[in-house]
Amino acid sequence: MTITHDKSYRQRCPPSSTVGPGESRGAETPCLQRGSMTALHWQQRLLSHGVLRHSFTLQFHQLANYAPYFFDNGARSTNGNMALFSLSEDTPVGTHVYTLNGTDPEGDPVTYGLAYEAGSRRYFSVDKSLGNVTLIEELDREKEDEIEVIVSISDGLSTVSEKVRILVMDANDESPEFINTPYIVQVPENTPSGSSIFKIEAVDKDTGSGGSITYFLQNIHANKFTIDRHSGVLRIKTGVTLDYEKSRTHFVVVVAKDGGGKLRGDNKVFSATTTVTVNVEDVQDTPPMFIGTPYYGYVYEDTLAGSEVLTVVALDGDRGKPNSIHYCIVNGSEGSFEIGNTTGAISVIKSPNQLKKEVYELKVQASEVSQEGDVSVYAFAVVTIRVVDLNNHPPTFYGENGPQNRFELTMYEHPPEGEILRGLKITVNDSDQGANAKFNLRLVGPGGIFRVVPQTVLNEAQVTIIVENSAAIDYEKLKVLTFKLLAIEVNTPEKFSSTADVVIRLLDTNDNVPKFSSDYYIARIPENSPGGSNVVAVTATDPDSGLWGEVKYSVYGTGADLFLIHPSTGIIYTQPWAVLDAEVNSKYNFYVKAEDTDGKYSLAEVFITVLDVNDHSPEFNENIQEKTMIIGSPVKIEAIDQDAEEPNNIVDYSIMQADPANVFDIDQSTGEIKLKSYIRSLDIIHNITKNKDCIWSLVVQAKDRGSPSFSTTAVLKIDITEEIKSRVKSYILGLKKRPWTIFGICMSGVLSTISVTMVISTIMYWKSVKRSKLHPQGKIRKIIRGPPRRTVC
């Protein structure tokens, strides 16, 4: 079954059927219950209710089938049959804009479709199952504001189609557009201020506020015009006038702006600009103007009567529609000059020798003549005409004997600044008269050395050259200074000129001090150099000439005693008797003087280093040394080399002879001697040798690293002992090396004995005194002595 109707049809449903969202049942709704009536009865009922407008076809099977239908949800609904649906033109392509929604009375699944009239653009697509409608083509309300779409719903057997109209709503997506452009306006310059001169019109295809337009001007403050913001009428600004002579064209930039509106969710305002060209038309309101003022003319001594002197030119101030100009001389001519009425050419009508004045001032009038021959406005100009002779004489230089173009002078270098070169007698002259005889003087050559006086001459002058930079007048730089003295006319068109050579030969003075090639000199000399050996050569120069340029050398200073210098060559050498020794003094410094014949001098400092030579052998403090070695501890020998520098004073040690040889090791650099690592006790030593006192004699050598190398040997006696015994022996052996210590010990013993004896004697004395007081002499016991002892020899 297929049912087709337009969008005014409203689907009715039976009370027992499912009602779509937003719909209501009514008693008048025809009841379409399955099996309740015959097909003919159905057709009659539907026709009586006006449901079938176009066609109605029923296909019956064993059971009746009812057509699907759309839900109608109102004007603003996005869910139903798209009836009364509207969409903004700025909706992005690909947006889901609507959902077709309907049902089938039997509950069968439905599908949806969209169709268009032939030749129509396809703006939408639909998901057949879900009914989702998507925008697939960009909308433009200004091109198409209504879209007709045929929507359909089908249950597989029956299809219901409806034609719906979708309204395209406006968005502010259009800019204002000016019509009838370009705008060119012709305005007379005498148009009153405030007058309307033109109307600008712009349109905007949008509707509402987006289609409303207001006008304004750019650079309103610098503009001579205003515009009505609503009507677009362009006016001359109040209080402002136009002037063709000042500005013939004005360019007015007009902006048209819409009222704004929504576009893709944002509020947008669009505008457009155009330029109105206002051409100002000239009006006769300006007097003529002379061009090229002030005017000067000259009548020369060979000018013929009737010759043209100069031409004045005047133009109508109103250049848009200029009038012709008529010239005349008002006064000042005194019958000597005339002017062409239309050309403005002024001519002399007398010969120069008949002119009584040197200067004539003519007052010339220029008048505007209209096409009708009326004189309207006029202007005046003053023309100055001078009567002059011909400029036929260039400036000329003179010496004492007449015209001269070369002047020479010999002088000493470095004269005082401001001094006049009195040896130059120069005169310059121009035989012409007036302005033709005025010329300038200047020196051409090395700048800033001399200046010439005067610099401007009228007819004739004595030329003076003055020193300006004394330092630049230097014989050593330039022996001859050459300049050109130039005289050139100032105010003549010919610019006649002449030149003269000025040659100055310089004489030398002693103005320079001898100067060394360096502020200091550094030299080296071996200590074994013989007396009279060359050390270094110093050089000083004096740019002065002759005897003033000769240099004499000398040395002085505390370090110069061993050295001499050749007075002419500057070679420094040692005294014949000098003996250099780096170990005593390796550094010398002194001054060398360079002096000219006038006593002008300069100094330089000389630094001399005496280089060490290997001339000393290492020396032991004793040729035979005795040392006690504790097992496990080294002993050390030392030799000193008196040379000043390495490697001459670096000593290496070695054992030259030992018996047996396989007992000791020696450190080459420090001189430390120690037992072989396997010897840890006296028992091992006793096994090595039959010498029971454990004393070894070694021959050791001390050798320096110089070239050639020197060496010294010494005998070293080593007593090997264990720690306690070694300390006593070491002390005793040490005393042998310190005789004053032994003497001190002996003296200490003697003094101690004397002190003890004195103490004992004092004690015994005081005891005897005490005993004598207790036993007087009369009662002293007799001491019975025995017989005397015999001494056995």
Side-chain angles (χ1 to χ4, degrees):
M1 180 176 64
T2 302
I3 302 174
T4 303
H5 57 89
D6 62 18
K7 64 182 179 179
S8 61
Y9 164 73
R10 181 174 179 87
Q11 182 74 36
R12 297 288 187 255
C13 65
S16 62
S17 63
T18 303
V19 180
E23 293 186 342
S24 61
R25 296 190 182 100
E28 74 284 2
T29 303
C31 184
L32 303 178
Q33 296 182 0
R34 191 176 300 177
S36 61
M37 59 184 68
T38 64
L40 181 58
H41 185 231
W42 262 103
Q43 186 175 8
Q44 293 174 349
R45 289 290 302 273
L46 291 173
L47 287 173
S48 65
H49 282 79
V51 173
L52 299 181
R53 295 283 181 91
H54 302 285
S55 65
F56 188 92
T57 303
L58 296 177
Q59 297 178 1
F60 289 93
H61 301 283
Q62 292 180 352
L63 296 175
N65 180 60
Y66 299 100
Y69 58 90
F70 285 106
F71 299 135
D72 189 357
N73 293 330
R76 296 186 180 181
S77 173
T78 58
N79 186 305
N81 63 352
M82 296 185 78
L84 303 180
F85 176 59
S86 61
L87 187 64
S88 178
E89 65 176 329
D90 62 348
T91 302
V93 174
T95 302
H96 171 212
V97 297
Y98 199 86
T99 300
L100 292 176
N101 192 10
T103 187
D104 181 71
E106 291 83 18
D108 293 332
V110 295
T111 59
Y112 304 96
L114 290 178
Y116 299 87
E117 296 289 347
S120 299
R121 296 179 66 179
R122 298 177 57 85
Y123 286 95
F124 304 98
S125 66
V126 65
D127 186 302
K128 293 183 178 181
S129 300
L130 301 177
N132 293 335
V133 178
T134 303
L135 181 67
I136 62 173
E137 186 77 24
E138 186 174 332
L139 302 176
D140 189 347
R141 187 201 65 84
E142 286 72 32
K143 294 181 179 179
E144 192 171 358
D145 61 354
E146 188 176 88
I147 302 171
E148 288 189 354
V149 181
I150 300 172
V151 298
S152 63
I153 183 171
S154 174
D155 60 1
L157 296 177
S158 301
T159 301
V160 177
S161 299
E162 296 183 9
K163 181 185 289 185
V164 294
R165 290 181 178 86
I166 299 171
L167 298 180
V168 180
M169 306 303 293
D170 188 38
N172 189 25
D173 61 343
E174 298 289 336
S175 300
E177 294 183 4
F178 291 94
I179 61 175
N180 300 324
T181 57
Y183 298 136
I184 300 175
V185 186
Q186 306 294 333
V187 182
E189 65 176 330
N190 59 354
T191 301
S193 63
S195 300
S196 300
I197 60 173
F198 193 70
K199 181 177 182 180
I200 293 94
E201 187 174 358
V203 295
D204 192 317
K205 297 178 182 179
D206 291 318
T207 60
S209 63
S212 63
I213 296 176
T214 55
Y215 304 90
F216 60 92
L217 303 181
Q218 288 185 353
N219 302 323
I220 185 66
H221 298 293
N223 218 311
K224 292 180 176 289
F225 306 91
T226 62
I227 192 170
D228 187 284
R229 64 192 310 264
H230 299 295
S231 65
V233 173
L234 188 67
R235 293 184 174 88
I236 300 173
K237 190 181 292 185
T238 303
V240 174
T241 58
L242 303 179
D243 191 339
Y244 176 86
E245 286 70 36
K246 293 182 179 179
S247 181
R248 299 183 183 183
T249 304
H250 299 272
F251 299 98
V252 183
V253 179
V254 179
V255 180
K257 183 175 69 173
D258 66 20
K262 292 290 185 178
L263 179 64
R264 296 182 182 89
D266 296 328
N267 192 43
K268 295 289 185 179
V269 176
F270 292 98
S271 63
T273 61
T274 189
T275 300
V276 180
T277 303
V278 180
N279 293 323
V280 181
E281 295 180 341
D282 193 20
V283 176
Q284 287 295 331
D285 59 351
T286 307
M289 294 180 296
F290 282 95
I291 306 301
T293 58
Y295 293 113
Y296 294 96
Y298 299 92
V299 176
Y300 298 98
E301 56 186 346
D302 61 347
T303 301
L304 300 176
S307 300
E308 181 179 320
V309 179
L310 79 160
T311 300
V312 297
V313 177
L315 300 177
D316 186 353
D318 303 303
R319 299 180 186 178
K321 298 177 182 179
N323 290 325
S324 58
I325 305 298
H326 180 272
Y327 301 95
C328 65
I329 298 176
V330 178
N331 55 47
S333 172
E334 299 182 6
S336 300
F337 301 92
E338 64 180 7
I339 189 170
N341 293 336
T342 58
T343 62
I346 298 176
S347 303
V348 59
I349 57 177
K350 292 182 180 180
S351 62
N353 57 3
Q354 293 177 326
L355 300 178
K356 299 179 181 179
K357 297 171 64 176
E358 185 177 343
V359 177
Y360 290 86
E361 290 189 351
L362 310 181
K363 186 176 182 180
V364 178
Q365 175 180 305
S367 305
E368 289 186 22
V369 180
S370 65
Q371 294 180 355
E372 293 77 15
D374 299 328
V375 176
S376 55
V377 290
Y378 49 84
F380 297 98
V382 175
V383 178
T384 301
I385 298 177
R386 293 181 177 275
V387 180
V388 295
D389 67 330
L390 287 175
N391 183 28
N392 50 8
H393 296 92
T396 305
F397 292 99
Y398 295 87
E400 293 180 327
N401 300 319
Q404 189 173 328
N405 59 7
R406 184 180 177 89
F407 300 88
E408 296 186 6
L409 174 68
T410 300
M411 59 181 288
Y412 284 104
E413 63 177 336
H414 303 303
E417 292 183 0
E419 180 174 299
I420 297 173
L421 304 187
R422 301 187 183 279
L424 294 174
K425 306 293 184 182
I426 306 173
T427 303
V428 63
N429 175 270
D430 191 322
S431 301
D432 290 317
Q433 300 297 318
N436 292 336
K438 187 177 181 179
F439 55 92
N440 288 337
L441 280 177
R442 68 171 182 266
L443 279 175
V444 180
I449 300 177
F450 299 100
R451 61 186 175 92
V452 63
V453 176
Q455 294 183 351
T456 302
V457 179
L458 183 62
N459 290 117
E460 184 176 295
Q462 186 77 27
V463 179
T464 301
I465 298 177
I466 301 174
V467 176
E468 196 168 46
N469 185 357
S470 175
I473 306 173
D474 193 342
Y475 176 85
E476 286 72 34
K477 294 179 180 177
L478 287 173
K479 294 178 175 57
V480 178
L481 298 175
T482 302
F483 298 87
K484 280 194 177 294
L485 188 59
L486 173 64
I488 183 170
E489 292 179 348
V490 179
N491 297 320
T492 64
E494 295 83 6
K495 299 291 183 183
F496 288 141
S497 64
S498 61
T499 60
D501 293 327
V502 178
V503 180
I504 300 174
R505 305 184 187 278
L506 298 180
L507 300 175
D508 193 22
T509 61
N510 189 19
D511 59 332
N512 291 284
V513 175
K515 186 176 181 180
F516 282 98
S517 60
S518 176
D519 292 334
Y520 57 89
Y521 296 87
I522 299 175
R524 297 175 177 83
I525 183 171
E527 64 178 340
N528 60 352
S529 300
S533 298
N534 291 344
V535 180
V536 65
V538 299
T539 304
T541 55
D542 190 328
D544 291 319
S545 61
L547 294 176
W548 290 325
E550 294 182 0
V551 178
K552 181 179 179 182
Y553 300 97
S554 60
V555 296
Y556 70 93
T558 55
D561 297 338
L562 300 181
F563 303 92
L564 296 172
I565 188 170
H566 192 283
S568 300
T569 63
I571 297 176
I572 298 175
Y573 55 94
T574 58
Q575 294 273 13
W577 46 264
V579 177
L580 303 177
D581 192 343
E583 290 74 37
V584 177
N585 189 0
S586 63
K587 303 289 182 181
Y588 296 89
N589 74 288
F590 51 87
Y591 290 96
V592 60
K593 178 194 286 186
E595 186 176 13
D596 65 13
T597 54
D598 274 357
K600 293 183 177 181
Y601 67 90
S602 63
L603 301 176
E605 194 167 4
V606 179
F607 298 90
I608 298 176
T609 301
V610 179
L611 301 177
D612 184 41
V613 176
N614 192 24
D615 56 354
H616 291 84
S617 300
E619 297 291 340
F620 291 102
N621 55 359
E622 292 181 1
N623 290 332
I624 300 177
Q625 301 185 32
E626 295 181 358
K627 291 185 181 293
T628 300
M629 177 183 288
I630 301 173
I631 294 177
S633 299
V635 296
K636 184 176 182 181
I637 61 172
E638 185 177 11
I640 298 175
D641 193 313
Q642 297 297 329
D643 285 315
E645 298 177 359
E646 296 180 356
N648 298 333
N649 58 5
I650 297 178
V651 179
D652 293 331
Y653 300 92
S654 62
I655 297 174
M656 303 298 295
Q657 182 179 349
D659 187 20
N662 196 27
V663 176
F664 299 99
D665 288 325
I666 188 168
D667 188 292
Q668 179 181 346
S669 300
T670 64
E672 285 189 350
I673 301 174
K674 57 184 177 180
L675 292 170
K676 295 285 187 177
S677 59
Y678 68 88
I679 300 176
R680 296 184 178 87
S681 66
L682 289 175
D683 295 336
I684 298 175
I685 295 176
H686 292 156
N687 293 331
I688 296 174
T689 180
K690 296 179 180 180
N691 188 1
K692 300 302 180 181
D693 56 4
C694 297
I695 297 176
W696 264 268
S697 292
L698 308 178
V699 178
V700 294
Q701 182 188 60
K703 183 179 181 180
D704 63 27
R705 296 184 184 179
S707 180
S709 178
F710 295 103
S711 62
T712 303
T713 59
V715 176
L716 175 63
K717 294 182 178 181
I718 300 177
D719 185 5
I720 302 174
T721 183
E722 293 180 337
E723 186 174 0
I724 297 175
K725 183 179 178 181
S726 173
R727 289 182 181 178
V728 175
K729 283 192 174 183
S730 296
Y731 183 72
I732 293 171
L733 290 174
L735 291 177
K736 291 182 180 181
K737 299 179 181 179
R738 295 177 289 172
W740 285 105
T741 303
I742 298 173
F743 176 75
I745 292 172
C746 293
M747 289 299 297
S748 299
V750 172
L751 291 175
S752 298
T753 304
I754 293 172
S755 299
V756 171
T757 304
M758 290 181 65
V759 171
I760 294 172
S761 299
T762 302
I763 293 171
M764 291 180 67
Y765 169 75
W766 283 107
K767 282 184 178 182
S768 64
V769 171
K770 190 175 182 181
R771 200 179 285 127
S772 65
K773 289 181 181 182
L774 295 174
H775 303 283
Q777 292 181 0
K779 298 179 179 180
I780 296 175
R781 295 178 181 176
K782 293 181 180 180
I783 301 175
I784 301 175
R785 300 178 181 270
R789 297 178 181 178
R790 293 181 181 180
T791 304
V792 180
C793 296

